[in-house]
Amino acid sequence: MSYIEFLSEFLPRLASGAGMTVMVMICATLLAVFISLLFGLMRLSSNFAIQGTATVYIEFFRGTSLLVQLYWIYYVLPLMGLTLTPFVSGVLALGLNFGAYGAEIVRGGIQSVPRGQYEAALALNMSPAKRMRRIIIPQTFPLILPPAANLTVELLKATALVALITVVDLMFVAKQINATTWLSAQVFGTALIVYYVMARFALIPFLRWLEVLAARMVGKA
Amino acid sequence: DELTDRINAGEPIRLGFATAIPWAYPGDNGEPLGFVNALTLVVLEEMGITNYTTSVNEWAGLIPGLQANRYDIITGGMYILKSRCENINFSDPIGLFGDAMLVPAGNPQGIHNYQDVIKTGATLVTGAGFNTVEAAKKEGVPDGQMMLVAGEVEILAAMKAGRADAAVQTFFGAKEHVDKSDGKFEVTDPADMPEWTQNWVGIGMRHSDTDFLAAFNEAMAKVIGGEKWMEAVAPYGYTEFQLPGDDASTEYACANR
Amino acid sequence: MTLDTLHPQKLEDDGPLVRFADVTKSYGSLTVLDQLNLDIAQNEMVSIIGPSGSGKTTVLRVLMTLEGINDGVIYVDGEPLTHMPKGNGLAVANEKYLHERRSKIGMVFQQFNLFPHMSALQNCIEAPMQVLGLSRDEAEERALNLLDMVGMSAKKDQHPTRLSGGQQQRVAIARALAMRPQVMLLDEVTSALDPEVIGEVLNVIRSLNSEHNLTMIMVTHQMGFAREISDRVCFFYEGKIAEQGTPDQLFGDPQNERTKQFLHAVLDAN
Amino acid sequence: MTLDTLHPQKLEDDGPLVRFADVTKSYGSLTVLDQLNLDIAQNEMVSIIGPSGSGKTTVLRVLMTLEGINDGVIYVDGEPLTHMPKGNGLAVANEKYLHERRSKIGMVFQQFNLFPHMSALQNCIEAPMQVLGLSRDEAEERALNLLDMVGMSAKKDQHPTRLSGGQQQRVAIARALAMRPQVMLLDEVTSALDPEVIGEVLNVIRSLNSEHNLTMIMVTHQMGFAREISDRVCFFYEGKIAEQGTPDQLFGDPQNERTKQFLHAVLDAN
Amino acid sequence: MEWRWEFTWEILPRMLWATGNTLLAAGVGYLIAVVVGLVLMLGQRTPYQIVNIVVREIVEFVRSTPLLVQLFFVFFVAPQFGIKLSAWTAGMLTIGLHFGTYLSEVYRGALEGVPKSQWEACRALNFTTLYTYRRIVLPQAFPIALPGMGNYLVGIFKDTPLLATIGVAELMHTANALGAETYRYLEPYTMVGFIFLIISLPTAMGLRRLEAAVDRAQGKRRN
Ligand SMILES: Nc1ncnc2c1ncn2[C@@H]1O[C@H](COP(=O)(O)OP(=O)(O)OP(=O)(O)O)[C@@H](O)[C@H]1O
Ligand SMILES: Nc1ncnc2c1ncn2[C@@H]1O[C@H](COP(=O)(O)OP(=O)(O)OP(=O)(O)O)[C@@H](O)[C@H]1O
Ligand SMILES: [Mg+2]
Ligand SMILES: [Mg+2]
């Protein structure tokens, strides 16, 4: 069948799958952002216990593949008596995993803020928390955002993995259609384009806008 | 047992299967299609169970999913093999099935079974973890000639890309591919494959759900090969040739396959 | 550090506001402050002059707790700064203790260190609101008042990157003064200022000094400024105070050889 | 820009080394340089004084091609700086042209801008080796020589973060001088220096000025310094030169009202 | 489902052999990525607007489409257009290009972290742009980029399982196969996780050391 026919027949289903992909994406991102900040800051704590915990967490989740974590949460946790729905399993795995990567980015950004800024904040007698929240973190945005944007785009793509645990997302639908039509090139080609469109014309412009915002905030632009 | 109790309590039974046309696959709304699902429903109806839900999985995830209690029975159309029996129970066989070779139209290299593959030195593609891998090894196909990919999708892709000269899969799976790839390929006669690679298929269940297993077998004995049964599976190309035969027993399969 | 040399109990109330007792600070093998002793009284204005690298900035930095010290004790308002009384000895101070100590001290940096992501005004209201808990209105009133005094009200909404050197410095001064510290540390605040502005800044400082009896320690290279404003001038040399006295004494007839030499150069330059 | 006002051809050879012709520079609505006209002769030492925000740093920055200008032309050595002759008009200069122009100019920044990842010595040999193509030995010899003149040879292997304000500034001066530019731009180089060091720096500059007939434009707030070193002093006010003349003229009997007022303040301060 | 040691020992050799493949794929892939990333980053900062835009779009396309699908296309679809690479070549090239686009972004962020004043100093010393990058900007950007680069070294290693789809017998591929043959997933998957850990932990630690060393070498004070 021609590609046009193909689209007219299957695009609706692919679109509904894309909807689910976006859902997973948003939930996972929120979780990941929270974890990034939390553990990124913990990594910088002078308290050995806190820092240690963060390091262990980060290295564990960066160290083992997302796929393995996904399978663990979905197939092995139930054996230990904890059964989560596929959606929750997927979001959890994605959030925990990407949070670990985000934490490293946050840490790197914070450490590259000039020392003079800490000193000035300290000289104004701001509490460590205030120093971080009001002075240091805002200045890290321009540094953090490009790599963070990378990570978000990666996360969008990583959502494809939740298809493996029966979440009916774009990739899942694509596989279904392929299994009945066996038009692999068309099916996955279309999926590829849909992912690209989502990233290129929605996600990335949004992230760029954030970058510009941050740059203006520090009076660079 | 737990499953029986749940069903008696009026909860739906959960069918787990992967997408393997025409064995078992989901419709647009996830309704169970394929002959294994069809005949399972016949049996369940006989047992007075009409209330069910479905869960579509990766083939490789079917058994872990069952063990993780994400569904109650596997209707994917699984061969009854020793290695599998160690992990799950199987109902009595629902049929006897053989593998076949998927080859380019006209079968240029004349490949009909594993021995032909070895002779011709052709590259044979199949899915990682398919039972055909074990079979090919037993038949002596050297690793160098084997190409293991993720699943059905990649198997067909590999054939289309000309990366493999032949693919070995279930007869039904191969037939499906032939139908969907307008005359590029053809499927060899299953009878040409070594007899011992013929396998019985059963419905998979948890070791723990023994009462249910018994009840299921009892009900199946009543309907198997019957009129209801045959018309349920007819649309999927399942004929009386696939019927297991009276001597077939799960114990035997578990011990010898 | 050697605790035996210390007297943890609070100093008598009429004692100095700031006391350096045998303070030593070194970076690796390099000793920057060498058993420094220095008392500064309530409401006093002290200038620190001396050759480059003699440890002037370091004195301010250790007093601001930006650097730890290797030996000795610093007292602020009679209480040890970097160590808190514990039992009948001293223990290294925790953040909470330091926070409370620091509230008495403010500092203006040689490199300004303004917050680049905030406008001049925001730079000045941030700490008063966050630390002193002033309402935005109170904070802004105070800040605008100070920015006006240093002639920066016109640029209050500019980000530091868009300000000239002198303008940045004046914002930095306003930012520190807005905290109304008891002790104010100024590191070469006049370096980027032209004489006119220096005059204005001088007046601001003077008035605060009298109104809020502000105590001040300033590092400067401009003898004129030191002479003008300070009650006492300390000449630093190699991490020690080589000589100190009223401006007239020190500039009038210096005793120490090194001082003479230094001031001689000054006269050459001006 | 309005090209008709310009005379693209090279100026006569005995003309000024640097010429600002009706140069205007503005940031948005704010005009920082307002039709500035300024000629500087070969080997001349010019000081620029004036209130904060009057455009002193900006003059140096546009001459260093760090900022574009909105109108007018700047000539260096008779050739337009930001525009290159093209046909019988002027076209905006390309990087290659600018590179060649810039080789005549050197600058010391108010904020030093040393390279943090290099030691003091490396900071000084980098450019001579790479841009002038000196051998490492030549470059080091020259650099050590200069570092020694400004009294920094002892710290030559330290990274900037470990140097005091004055020490950083001296390295910055040495770094710029190592390039032996024809025109040297100094932005408040003395701000972080104590009078002693200023004296030394003065001598270094003087000697270079005579040996390598260096031309110099320096922004300063220290009248003493300006008086001491310069052939001519320009008083900047609101992006224009309000008054200029020899130190004696300008400091002796200023004509312009604003100048008087400014210098009056100076006398107060010193 | 209890843990079976004898089974663990039985499959260990195959797992270790697969580990070798994983390391090889990750290592070569990363080398490609580091270089490609640099090229792509500089390609977006040329004086020629067209080049910049084209490169930009290439980066955006590659990094915003799933590696899994890219592999599928390079390996299974490209041959239909006459480009036929071996599983290994296809795998490492694709993964290298893919991560190259990420690294180019990391580099970009780091460059923007270098203060404008440093560029000005270089102008004043009349450095050429190229030289300014090489000796002044990149060395200062490097410490900022390091955490991100470390992330992707670990990340590329973590993503090698995707090579399974095109039949590169790396760890995950082997674990899947073992699991599917024996229907025991606990041991293979746990082992995969464990092996990933004992390889990536020292790597990450090494990276930390490196970061610290670089900062020390550049005379930075740590906060
Ligand atoms: N972080 C550091 N590591 C090593 N040495 C340092 C460090 N900070 C300062 N120094 C050294 O300590 C000495 C005193 O520094 P300080 O900044 O107190 O001098 P200063 O009196 O302020 O000089 P200036 O008038 O030039 O600012 C200097 O020789 C300097 O090189
Ligand atoms: N990037 C910028 N954007 C907007 N305004 C600017 C920018 N840079 C400088 N200005 C303004 O231009 C004016 C002149 O700045 P300039 O740095 O030349 O002053 P200056 O004479 O050097 O003052 P100072 O003696 O304090 O250094 C100032 O009012 C400043 O606010
Ligand atoms: Mg200092
Ligand atoms: Mg200036």
Side-chain angles (χ1 to χ4, degrees):
Chain A
M1 73 166 112
S2 84
Y3 188 57
I4 304 303
E5 293 164 18
F6 173 83
L7 283 185
S8 56
E9 180 170 354
F10 294 110
L11 206 51
R13 278 175 67 190
L14 287 167
S16 71
M20 172 57 83
T21 296
V22 172
M23 276 294 296
V24 176
M25 161 86 192
I26 292 175
C27 300
T29 310
L30 294 180
L31 179 58
V33 168
F34 172 74
I35 290 187
S36 308
L37 284 171
L38 182 63
F39 285 90
L41 292 174
M42 283 170 66
R43 277 279 286 114
L44 292 167
S45 160
S46 48
N47 174 322
F48 181 78
I50 296 178
Q51 194 198 345
T53 322
T55 312
V56 169
Y57 173 89
I58 291 170
E59 292 318 342
F60 178 81
F61 278 92
R62 293 200 314 162
T64 55
S65 111
L66 173 57
L67 196 60
V68 178
Q69 290 156 20
L70 198 63
Y71 279 12
W72 251 88
I73 294 177
Y74 188 73
Y75 289 127
V76 183
L77 272 191
L79 302 179
M80 307 170 178
L82 175 57
T83 307
L84 303 166
T85 71
F87 182 84
V88 174
S89 310
V91 168
L92 201 62
L94 287 166
L96 294 176
N97 181 278
F98 279 82
Y101 284 84
E104 279 301 273
I105 294 177
V106 169
R107 174 188 131 255
I110 288 176
Q111 279 177 336
S112 41
V113 171
R115 178 183 172 86
Q117 293 296 316
Y118 287 85
E119 298 186 340
L122 187 106
L124 292 168
N125 206 14
M126 293 186 179
S127 67
K130 288 223 167 76
R131 259 177 262 160
M132 269 298 163
R133 214 183 69 248
R134 308 281 313 175
I135 306 303
I136 305 304
I137 294 196
Q139 291 188 55
T140 60
F141 287 156
L143 293 169
I144 285 182
L145 276 170
N150 253 352
L151 211 55
T152 325
V153 175
E154 278 180 79
L155 198 152
L156 168 63
K157 292 172 303 174
T159 55
L161 286 182
V162 300
L164 298 179
I165 57 168
T166 77
V167 178
V168 188
D169 73 336
L170 181 53
M171 191 45 107
F172 187 91
V173 173
K175 283 182 173 172
Q176 289 305 315
I177 297 173
N178 181 73
T180 49
T181 64
W182 299 101
L183 299 165
S184 308
Q186 289 87 326
V187 176
F188 293 109
T190 315
L192 189 127
I193 293 169
V194 176
Y195 276 112
Y196 173 65
V197 169
M198 285 198 275
R200 183 69 186 83
F201 300 105
L203 188 54
I204 292 173
F206 172 69
L207 295 165
R208 288 280 156 150
W209 175 74
L210 283 183
E211 275 181 49
V212 174
L213 213 64
R216 195 174 302 130
M217 196 174 64
V218 300
K220 266 188 187 161
Chain B
D1 58 50
E2 186 227 348
L3 175 53
T4 320
D5 302 344
R6 283 227 319 280
I7 292 168
N8 296 342
E11 287 182 37
I13 184 168
R14 298 170 297 169
L15 314 183
F17 52 91
T19 303
I21 301 174
W23 299 79
Y25 59 96
D28 288 0
N29 316 318
E31 65 269 26
L33 304 180
F35 60 81
V36 183
N37 277 323
L39 55 82
T40 305
L41 293 182
V42 173
V43 177
L44 291 177
E45 191 183 352
E46 179 67 25
M47 295 169 73
I49 305 172
T50 51
N51 178 1
Y52 60 82
T53 62
T54 63
S55 158
V56 183
N57 299 260
E58 289 292 297
W59 177 264
L62 279 175
I63 289 179
L66 180 71
Q67 287 166 329
N69 190 16
R70 294 194 171 276
Y71 35 83
D72 303 314
I73 60 176
I74 298 176
T75 58
M78 269 192 178
Y79 288 162
I80 304 171
L81 304 174
K82 186 193 273 125
S83 53
R84 290 177 180 167
C85 294
E86 290 169 6
N87 293 278
I88 60 172
N89 281 346
F90 280 99
S91 70
D92 291 336
I94 60 165
L96 179 62
F97 303 85
D99 298 328
M101 293 280 175
L102 180 73
V103 293
N107 196 353
Q109 296 181 318
I111 296 172
H112 300 281
N113 55 38
Y114 297 107
Q115 295 313 321
D116 299 339
V117 172
I118 301 171
K119 270 199 245 82
T120 56
T123 307
L124 179 69
V125 63
T126 188
F130 284 22
N131 66 304
T132 47
V133 179
E134 288 173 75
K137 289 216 179 90
K138 286 216 191 73
E139 284 281 308
V141 180
D143 287 348
Q145 274 173 262
M146 297 281 293
M147 177 179 183
L148 296 185
V149 293
E152 295 279 331
V153 177
E154 288 77 10
I155 289 178
L156 185 63
M159 289 301 288
K160 281 185 181 166
R163 289 190 174 276
D165 308 306
V168 57
Q169 19 177 193
T170 65
F171 173 72
F172 280 113
K175 216 153 117 280
E176 166 68 13
H177 282 168
V178 172
D179 302 343
K180 293 290 169 59
S181 54
D182 42 48
K184 273 205 215 66
F185 304 112
E186 69 178 51
V187 56
T188 62
D189 181 345
D192 298 342
M193 299 293 281
E195 183 280 336
W196 70 266
T197 58
Q198 296 232 335
N199 285 295
W200 287 278
V201 167
I203 307 299
M205 306 174 189
R206 270 182 296 274
H207 279 318
S208 53
D209 299 328
T210 47
D211 304 353
F212 182 81
L213 176 62
F216 188 90
N217 285 339
E218 190 181 321
M220 188 165 86
K222 297 210 193 89
V223 291
I224 188 162
E227 187 180 324
K228 252 192 174 160
W229 177 284
M230 293 318 289
E231 73 195 31
V233 295
Y236 305 105
Y238 175 109
T239 64
E240 59 273 11
F241 298 113
Q242 273 77 33
L243 286 171
D246 309 338
D247 59 345
S249 91
T250 301
E251 292 67 28
Y252 175 81
C254 281
N256 300 288
R257 286 285 191 264
Chain C
M1 56 180 297
T2 60
L3 288 178
D4 49 272
T5 63
L6 308 177
H7 22 84
Q9 74 287 358
K10 204 172 177 321
L11 300 176
E12 60 292 350
D13 281 350
D14 57 352
L17 182 61
V18 175
R19 158 169 287 172
F20 285 76
D22 297 319
V23 173
T24 299
K25 166 73 181 173
S26 43
Y27 294 106
S29 59
L30 175 80
T31 304
V32 181
L33 296 183
D34 183 359
Q35 306 217 328
L36 176 72
N37 285 294
L38 172 62
D39 284 8
I40 290 154
Q42 182 67 259
N43 211 356
E44 193 178 17
M45 291 219 191
V46 177
S47 296
I48 297 178
I49 62 172
S52 172
S54 56
K56 304 186 294 297
T57 297
T58 307
V59 172
L60 303 189
R61 289 177 59 83
V62 296
L63 184 50
M64 191 70 253
T65 69
L66 296 175
E67 307 271 359
I69 56 178
N70 304 71
D71 199 357
V73 202
I74 302 171
Y75 295 90
V76 174
D77 215 356
E79 302 199 347
L81 175 66
T82 54
H83 295 71
M84 54 187 183
K86 195 173 191 181
N88 54 1
L90 289 182
V92 175
N94 58 19
E95 180 57 35
K96 188 176 157 305
Y97 182 82
L98 283 175
H99 184 81
E100 189 251 324
R101 301 277 81 202
R102 265 191 233 115
S103 63
K104 299 180 156 53
I105 313 173
M107 176 167 182
V108 181
F109 295 84
Q110 196 167 1
Q111 301 292 355
F112 322 146
N113 297 347
L114 291 174
F115 302 133
H117 58 300
M118 299 179 176
S119 70
L121 181 62
Q122 287 166 327
N123 263 280
C124 297
I125 62 175
E126 184 65 18
M129 285 172 63
Q130 295 295 328
V131 181
L132 307 183
L134 268 58
S135 77
R136 173 169 290 278
D137 296 351
E138 295 167 311
E140 285 201 349
E141 187 193 340
R142 186 186 286 192
L144 287 171
N145 196 325
L146 283 161
L147 285 172
D148 187 44
M149 286 192 195
V150 296
M152 284 298 298
S153 37
K155 295 255 172 200
K156 68 177 174 29
D157 295 327
Q158 293 282 9
H159 280 271
T161 46
R162 297 171 173 241
L163 295 175
S164 77
Q167 291 166 338
Q168 289 184 45
Q169 182 129 55
R170 282 178 279 167
V171 174
I173 294 170
R175 180 176 73 175
L177 289 174
M179 290 296 284
R180 297 271 167 80
Q182 278 188 42
V183 188
M184 183 81 166
L185 313 178
L186 307 170
D187 195 357
E188 284 165 32
V189 285
T190 57
S191 63
L193 300 181
D194 59 86
E196 253 178 339
V197 181
I198 290 183
E200 295 163 16
V201 172
L202 249 158
N203 299 332
V204 179
I205 292 177
R206 277 218 196 75
S207 62
L208 286 166
N209 168 263
S210 47
E211 289 165 30
H212 309 279
N213 58 30
L214 183 65
T215 306
M216 240 177 326
I217 311 177
M218 63 210 115
V219 170
T220 182
H221 290 310
Q222 285 169 302
M223 302 309 142
F225 184 66
R227 183 166 218 150
E228 183 72 11
I229 197 171
S230 43
D231 307 321
R232 176 157 54 122
V233 180
C234 302
F235 175 70
F236 257 62
Y237 187 61
E238 292 180 345
K240 275 207 181 67
I241 298 180
E243 184 170 0
Q244 55 179 312
T246 64
D248 298 345
Q249 285 170 2
L250 198 94
F251 294 112
D253 70 305
Q255 306 307 316
N256 176 303
E257 255 325 300
R258 195 63 189 69
T259 323
K260 289 190 180 127
Q261 188 184 335
F262 183 80
L263 293 175
H264 190 66
V266 179
L267 303 182
D268 284 359
N270 300 20
Chain D
M1 56 178 300
T2 61
L3 289 179
D4 49 274
T5 63
L6 310 176
H7 21 83
Q9 73 288 356
K10 203 171 178 316
L11 299 177
E12 59 293 347
D13 281 351
D14 57 351
L17 181 63
V18 176
R19 158 169 288 173
F20 285 76
D22 297 319
V23 173
T24 299
K25 165 73 184 173
S26 42
Y27 293 106
S29 60
L30 175 79
T31 305
V32 181
L33 296 183
D34 183 1
Q35 306 217 329
L36 177 71
N37 285 293
L38 171 63
D39 284 8
I40 290 155
Q42 181 68 259
N43 210 354
E44 193 179 14
M45 292 224 199
V46 178
S47 297
I48 298 178
I49 63 172
S52 173
S54 56
K56 303 185 294 298
T57 297
T58 307
V59 172
L60 302 189
R61 288 177 59 81
V62 297
L63 184 50
M64 191 71 252
T65 69
L66 297 177
E67 307 271 357
I69 57 179
N70 305 71
D71 198 359
V73 202
I74 302 172
Y75 295 90
V76 174
D77 211 358
E79 302 199 344
L81 176 65
T82 54
H83 295 71
M84 54 188 184
K86 194 171 191 182
N88 54 2
L90 289 183
V92 175
N94 58 19
E95 183 53 36
K96 187 175 157 307
Y97 181 84
L98 284 176
H99 184 81
E100 187 253 327
R101 300 277 80 201
R102 263 190 237 117
S103 63
K104 296 183 157 56
I105 314 173
M107 176 167 182
V108 181
F109 295 85
Q110 196 165 2
Q111 303 290 357
F112 321 143
N113 299 354
L114 291 173
F115 303 131
H117 59 302
M118 298 179 176
S119 70
L121 181 61
Q122 285 167 323
N123 263 281
C124 297
I125 62 176
E126 199 63 22
M129 283 172 62
Q130 296 307 324
V131 182
L132 307 183
L134 267 57
S135 77
R136 173 170 287 278
D137 295 352
E138 293 168 310
E140 284 200 350
E141 188 193 338
R142 184 186 284 192
L144 287 171
N145 195 324
L146 282 161
L147 285 173
D148 187 42
M149 288 195 201
V150 296
M152 283 299 296
S153 37
K155 295 256 171 199
K156 68 176 169 40
D157 296 326
Q158 292 281 15
H159 281 270
T161 45
R162 297 167 173 256
L163 296 176
S164 76
Q167 291 165 338
Q168 289 185 42
Q169 184 137 51
R170 283 178 280 167
V171 175
I173 294 171
R175 178 175 75 174
L177 289 175
M179 289 296 282
R180 297 269 166 82
Q182 280 187 39
V183 189
M184 183 80 169
L185 313 179
L186 307 172
D187 195 356
E188 285 165 32
V189 286
T190 58
S191 61
L193 300 181
D194 58 86
E196 252 178 339
V197 180
I198 292 183
E200 293 162 16
V201 172
L202 249 158
N203 299 332
V204 181
I205 292 176
R206 277 218 197 76
S207 64
L208 286 166
N209 167 262
S210 48
E211 289 164 28
H212 310 278
N213 58 32
L214 182 66
T215 306
M216 238 176 328
I217 311 176
M218 63 211 114
V219 170
T220 182
H221 288 132
Q222 285 169 302
M223 301 310 141
F225 183 68
R227 183 165 220 153
E228 182 72 11
I229 196 170
S230 44
D231 307 322
R232 176 158 52 121
V233 180
C234 303
F235 174 70
F236 256 62
Y237 188 62
E238 291 179 349
K240 276 209 183 64
I241 297 181
E243 183 170 2
Q244 57 179 310
T246 64
D248 298 344
Q249 286 172 3
L250 198 95
F251 294 114
D253 70 309
Q255 305 306 317
N256 177 304
E257 253 329 297
R258 196 62 189 70
T259 324
K260 290 192 180 126
Q261 187 184 335
F262 183 80
L263 293 176
H264 190 65
V266 179
L267 303 182
D268 284 358
N270 298 21
Chain E
M1 194 180 198
E2 85 303 345
W3 182 276
R4 290 208 205 133
W5 280 110
E6 74 284 2
F7 177 65
T8 312
W9 300 130
E10 178 191 330
I11 62 174
L12 187 60
R14 254 177 90 183
M15 298 295 278
L16 292 181
W17 176 78
T19 309
N21 287 348
T22 297
L23 286 176
L24 183 63
V28 178
Y30 192 69
L31 288 184
I32 300 175
V34 167
V35 178
V36 170
L38 204 55
V39 174
L40 290 177
M41 181 271 289
L42 295 172
Q44 295 173 58
R45 300 174 146 249
T46 66
Y48 313 105
Q49 210 48 35
I50 320 90
V51 180
N52 301 356
I53 294 173
V54 172
V55 177
R56 176 86 235 144
E57 285 312 313
I58 294 176
V59 171
E60 296 295 16
F61 181 79
V62 174
R63 79 178 179 126
S64 56
T65 48
L67 178 56
L68 192 70
V69 186
Q70 287 170 1
L71 283 166
F72 185 90
F73 266 72
V74 173
F75 190 70
F76 290 122
V77 180
Q80 295 171 27
F81 304 97
I83 311 159
K84 193 164 179 176
L85 305 167
S86 81
W88 274 94
T89 328
M92 290 188 300
L93 282 181
T94 315
I95 216 170
L97 173 64
H98 191 83
F99 277 81
T101 58
Y102 294 153
L103 286 181
S104 73
E105 286 295 286
V106 172
Y107 298 150
R108 185 172 69 88
L111 280 187
E112 271 147 31
V114 178
K116 192 160 139 291
S117 58
Q118 289 291 311
W119 278 97
E120 296 185 340
C122 293
R123 280 283 202 78
L125 294 167
N126 212 8
F127 287 148
T128 61
T129 310
L130 187 66
Y131 186 78
T132 306
Y133 271 121
R134 221 182 76 239
R135 287 285 293 152
I136 309 303
V137 177
L138 291 184
Q140 290 184 61
F142 188 54
I144 307 178
L146 257 182
M149 293 180 72
N151 258 348
Y152 286 116
L153 176 57
V154 182
I156 204 167
F157 175 62
K158 175 209 76 174
D159 268 4
T160 45
L162 297 180
L163 295 178
T165 42
I166 60 172
V168 173
E170 48 60 66
L171 255 180
M172 202 61 201
H173 184 269
T174 313
N176 278 332
L178 281 167
E181 289 164 26
T182 61
Y183 300 95
R184 293 195 57 81
Y185 287 81
L186 184 62
E187 292 86 354
Y189 283 152
T190 318
M191 283 169 81
V192 171
F194 193 68
I195 293 175
F196 268 112
L197 263 184
I198 55 180
I199 291 175
S200 63
L201 275 185
T203 318
M205 261 174 233
L207 287 165
R208 293 273 155 63
R209 290 260 166 71
L210 186 60
E211 279 179 47
V214 168
D215 287 337
R216 238 177 288 113
Q218 303 199 345
K220 248 204 227 141
R221 300 199 220 164
R222 264 262 163 257
N223 310 305

